[in-house]
Amino acid sequence: MYDAIIVGAGVVGCAIAARLVQYSSNILVLEAADDVSEGASKANSGIVHAGYDAEPDTEKARLNVKGAKMMEDLCLKLGVPFGRPGALVLGFDEEDRKQIEVLYERSIKNGVDGCEIIEREQILKLEPNINPDVLCALNVPKSAIVSPYELTYALADSAKENGAEFLLNTKAETFEHKGDFWQVHTNAGTYEAKAIINCAGCDADRLHNQISTRQVEIIPRRGQYYLLDRMDEPVFSRTVFQVPTVLGKGVLISPTTHGNTLIGPNAEDIECALDTATTREGLDEVLGKSAKSWPKKNLRNVITTFSGVRAHEKDGDFIIGAVEGAPEGAFEAIGIESPGLSASPAIGEEMGDWVAYYLKLKKRGNYRPPTPLPKPFSRMSLKEREEAYRQDPLYGNLVCRCETVTEAEIRFSIRRPVGATSVDGVKRRTRAGMGRCQGGFCCLRVAEILKEELGESDLLHITKQGAGSEMLVGRLGEEDQA
């Protein structure tokens, strides 16, 4: 019998877990995928929105502003990459100016400091590569960037270091109330808890509607992106938006915390939340819209394209707290689309405290603060690299040349509390395979290290991203022998 079961190990689920373990508690986190951060948390823009866009007096606005103010300190404690480049929301005609004025008024109502409307001359001084046809912009100095998947992994590690259990490849099928506790029936058995917390992303409405008197509908909304090589300086020093639409904040161009340039996303409502394909039509839409901000775009340095699917609740706002009309002990954080990443520290804190209050849990005396992630070898000084090598000679074995990732870092990523079990899991924890060759040089060595660390008998068991994505399918000559 657990105190609480959290369904969904994205950034919100892991933030709640990391908060809840600060209390004396017995926590289980269930995740349908083979790793944490496998949904929207691994494939989004990584923007920590300041809060100027959200409709005032909504949960989105309140939690966005609160979470954004918490993010820098949280990333510092976790050792997660964070930056504050600021942002510009561009307007190209008088209609856009009206919208920017609305956003400016919202920034005031939502309590976002420092926003101002600036004109063409000042915009081009700040960002010379912007389309000179720009008329005005909302300058948002508090806008920030973070590595979303690294944040999620670090939160999961902190939760597990303090006793939380994580069960991967475990899909919640149904919730059942049994008097004073809940049962969660999964594809891998039944688990019981005094409280359940639904953070299941695009699948959250199915679970919600089983137990709530208020029926909700989540629409999977896919966004496609281009990623440019970090070998060139990002084209803009700030995140550059266009005026938002009813489908979201629109196509942006932004530096990332690792020095790449990100372009996207578009927004398309789809049937299947697992459909993370990129399409010619979708990518062309991204290019066409981004040209308005950057007409001299140069795509020679594109190293990959990808897409992510966010959970858009049809009524538009976050749904946070006790499940409406359900028996006691059922909680949820659903419909968490943008600015969900920005809001995640606040959601984690509030939901963790709320559930702890319901369960009458006390603060732990032996809580272990997060262990900050070690500095990447690629960012170390020569002296730091020498010291790292003295501590562990495997820092002398370079595995990924594009991103300067060592064998020591790859083995550490697998040994972490919630460690990598696939090539993609290593990639997102270390950046091995994220450079211009996209793993063409290092993926086999990464697979060999995974085989050794996981105790697998054969490389044929190593996957790119969970069961069904095995890196190798057989040995040469075996078919002839058969």
Side-chain angles (χ1 to χ4, degrees):
M1 174 68 68
Y2 293 92
D3 288 316
I5 294 175
I6 299 170
V7 177
V11 67
V12 170
C14 289
I16 294 170
R19 181 66 176 188
L20 202 45
V21 294
Q22 295 182 30
Y23 297 86
S24 298
S25 58
N26 183 19
I27 306 301
L28 175 65
V29 183
L30 301 177
E31 170 54 50
D34 75 302
D35 201 352
V36 304
S37 193
E38 279 297 302
S41 299
K42 77 172 182 185
N44 61 70
S45 305
I47 308 299
V48 184
H49 298 285
Y52 63 84
D53 181 47
E55 189 74 36
D57 302 319
T58 61
E59 287 291 84
K60 273 188 179 180
R62 183 181 70 81
L63 292 165
N64 180 172
V65 174
K66 180 179 178 179
K69 290 177 179 178
M70 298 169 65
M71 186 68 79
E72 184 172 8
D73 183 58
L74 176 63
C75 289
L76 181 64
K77 291 176 180 176
L78 296 171
V80 170
F82 175 90
R84 197 178 295 280
L88 295 173
V89 184
L90 306 181
F92 294 90
D93 54 36
E94 289 303 325
E95 284 301 310
D96 284 351
R97 182 186 290 276
K98 291 178 183 177
Q99 284 296 105
I100 285 173
E101 289 172 349
V102 170
L103 295 178
Y104 174 70
E105 292 300 322
R106 282 186 185 176
S107 75
I108 296 172
K109 290 178 182 177
N110 291 343
V112 181
D113 299 328
C115 293
E116 60 176 344
I117 297 175
I118 59 176
E119 305 299 325
R120 177 186 291 118
E121 183 178 353
Q122 188 175 354
I123 295 167
L124 296 177
K125 282 183 180 179
L126 294 174
E127 299 289 353
N129 291 318
I130 280 178
N131 185 348
D133 292 337
V134 68
L135 181 65
C136 61
L138 183 69
N139 184 22
V140 189
K142 296 290 187 180
S143 182
I145 53 177
V146 70
S147 176
Y149 39 87
E150 290 179 83
L151 172 63
T152 307
Y153 296 142
L155 288 166
D157 283 351
S158 180
K160 189 165 184 180
E161 284 180 327
N162 284 284
E165 296 180 40
F166 283 76
L167 285 182
L168 306 175
N169 298 302
T170 306
K171 181 178 180 179
E173 305 281 1
T174 57
F175 292 151
E176 185 178 0
H177 189 243
K178 304 291 286 187
D180 60 350
F181 67 94
W182 287 87
Q183 288 184 334
V184 181
H185 302 287
T186 79
N187 62 328
T190 297
Y191 301 91
E192 297 178 343
K194 300 169 188 173
I196 53 173
I197 309 170
N198 178 6
C199 308
C202 287
D203 198 33
D205 57 345
R206 178 183 63 82
L207 296 169
H208 167 99
N209 291 339
Q210 294 174 8
I211 60 174
S212 177
T213 55
R214 172 194 174 187
Q215 299 296 281
V216 302
E217 179 186 357
I218 288 179
I219 302 165
R221 182 165 287 172
R222 182 171 64 188
Q224 301 184 39
Y225 295 87
Y226 283 90
L227 186 69
L228 276 59
D229 194 356
R230 66 179 180 83
M231 295 303 180
D232 289 340
E233 286 291 318
V235 64
F236 300 126
S237 62
R238 295 163 180 77
T239 302
V240 172
F241 296 95
Q242 296 169 15
V243 170
T245 70
V246 292
L247 291 177
K249 296 176 179 64
V251 172
L252 60 85
I253 303 171
S254 179
T256 70
T257 54
H258 295 284
N260 301 85
T261 293
L262 188 67
I263 306 174
N266 66 334
E268 50 188 327
D269 293 342
I270 58 176
E271 292 294 325
C272 176
L274 300 178
D275 184 1
T276 55
T278 55
T279 65
R280 180 72 275 159
E281 296 78 13
L283 293 173
D284 283 346
E285 181 185 357
V286 170
L287 287 186
K289 291 183 175 179
S290 67
K292 191 173 183 180
S293 301
W294 184 28
K296 295 182 180 180
K297 62 182 181 297
N298 179 359
L299 300 182
R300 290 186 62 188
N301 288 325
V302 170
I303 56 175
T304 193
T305 59
F306 66 93
S307 76
V309 180
R310 53 195 184 270
H312 171 70
E313 206 287 313
K314 65 179 179 61
D315 291 332
D317 201 4
F318 295 163
I319 301 175
I320 306 285
V323 179
E324 186 175 326
E328 285 190 356
F331 301 86
E332 61 189 357
I334 69 176
I336 312 299
E337 59 181 336
S338 180
L341 174 64
S342 313
S344 61
I347 297 173
E349 179 183 86
E350 293 190 8
M351 286 294 296
D353 290 349
W354 196 337
V355 174
Y357 177 80
Y358 167 76
L359 294 171
K360 298 180 173 58
L361 302 176
K362 296 181 179 180
K363 283 282 189 176
R364 290 178 58 171
N366 61 342
Y367 171 72
R368 179 178 176 181
T371 303
L373 295 174
K375 190 174 186 178
F377 187 78
S378 61
R379 297 190 180 187
M380 290 181 187
S381 66
L382 181 59
K383 189 172 183 179
E384 288 172 327
R385 290 180 175 184
E386 291 172 347
E387 178 58 29
Y389 176 76
R390 276 195 292 270
Q391 295 290 329
D392 184 351
L394 292 182
Y395 272 104
N397 297 343
L398 195 64
V399 175
C400 174
R401 296 185 296 187
C402 298
E403 295 294 318
T404 320
V405 182
T406 66
E407 182 176 344
E409 293 171 289
I410 290 170
R411 291 189 184 276
F412 173 74
S413 76
I414 302 166
R415 297 171 185 173
R416 286 172 60 173
V418 184
T421 58
S422 67
V423 171
D424 276 4
V426 170
K427 177 178 74 173
R428 284 189 286 273
R429 286 170 175 84
T430 67
R431 295 192 62 76
M434 279 199 171
R436 62 172 51 185
C437 87
Q438 287 290 287
F441 175 78
C442 66
C443 69
L444 182 57
R445 181 61 187 133
V446 169
E448 290 172 339
I449 295 171
L450 276 162
K451 172 181 169 292
E452 295 168 14
E453 289 290 331
L454 299 177
E456 293 286 358
S457 60
D458 201 316
L459 268 177
L460 296 176
H461 300 152
I462 301 304
T463 68
K464 182 178 186 295
Q465 188 179 326
S469 64
E470 286 72 21
M471 298 291 292
L472 303 171
V473 296
R475 291 179 176 80
L476 293 174
E478 281 188 347
E479 289 187 5
D480 294 337
Q481 293 172 6

